[in-house]
Structures are given as C-alpha cells and as structure tokens.
C-alpha cells in the first residue's frame, strides 16, 4: 500500500465510492482526499452495467492506480 502522498501507477489503494454515473462509471475518493473516476471499462470488460449496479455510494473498493496525473483508478 502507499502513503497516498505520491501515487504511482500499479499501486493498490482503498477508495470510497462517492457517486455513480451510469454513462461514465463510479467516482471514488482516495485516502488523500482527491476524487478519481473508475471508468466503466476499467470496472469490467463485459456487463459493465451489471457490475455497476452492484456498487453503492459509500462502498469501499481496492483499486489499482492507472494514471495518477489524470486521477484514474481501476477496480481489481
């Protein structure tokens, strides 16, 4: 895990879902207080809507950092 000061590609962190947009994916708050987007195709390769429907605001997920500069993370 990381100290959350400087996220690196490939690191695994725990995030909290803050909102869900059916057309985009899930927005998640990282432990450093920054919000990032988990895009639909980063949640699942198929049946994204089914996976997204199982998420709720307030859920915690372990995710992998994809692009810290753009605040992108992907579900594990």
């Amino acid at each position: 895990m990381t100290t959350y000061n400087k996220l690196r590609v490939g690191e695994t962190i725990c995030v909290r879902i803050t909102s869900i947009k059916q057309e985009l994916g899930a927005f998640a708050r990282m432990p450093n207080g920054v919000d990032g987007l988990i895009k639909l195709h980063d949640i699942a390769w198929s049946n994204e809507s089914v996976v997204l429907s199982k998420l709720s605001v307030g859920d915690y997920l372990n995710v992998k950092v994809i692009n810290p500069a753009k605040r992108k993370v992907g579900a594990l």
Side-chain angles (χ1 to χ4, degrees):
M1 297 298 254
T2 182
T3 60
Y4 307 110
N5 292 328
K6 301 227 180 212
L7 298 174
R8 291 186 299 250
V9 172
E11 284 186 291
T12 300
I13 60 173
C14 184
V15 299
R16 184 176 53 84
I17 302 300
T18 56
S19 68
I20 298 171
K21 305 291 183 199
Q22 294 297 324
E23 65 281 357
L24 291 174
F27 288 90
R29 177 143 311 142
M30 294 178 261
N32 62 1
V34 175
D35 284 342
L37 172 63
I38 307 172
K39 289 186 176 182
L40 283 176
H41 67 269
D42 293 327
I43 292 172
W45 290 348
S46 62
N47 296 326
E48 294 104 344
S49 60
V50 172
V51 174
L52 199 57
S53 70
K54 296 191 183 295
L55 293 178
S56 299
V57 172
D59 285 353
Y60 285 88
L61 294 175
N62 287 320
V63 298
K64 188 169 280 196
V65 177
I66 295 173
N67 187 339
K70 292 186 178 181
R71 300 182 298 191
K72 287 179 64 179
V73 295
L76 292 178

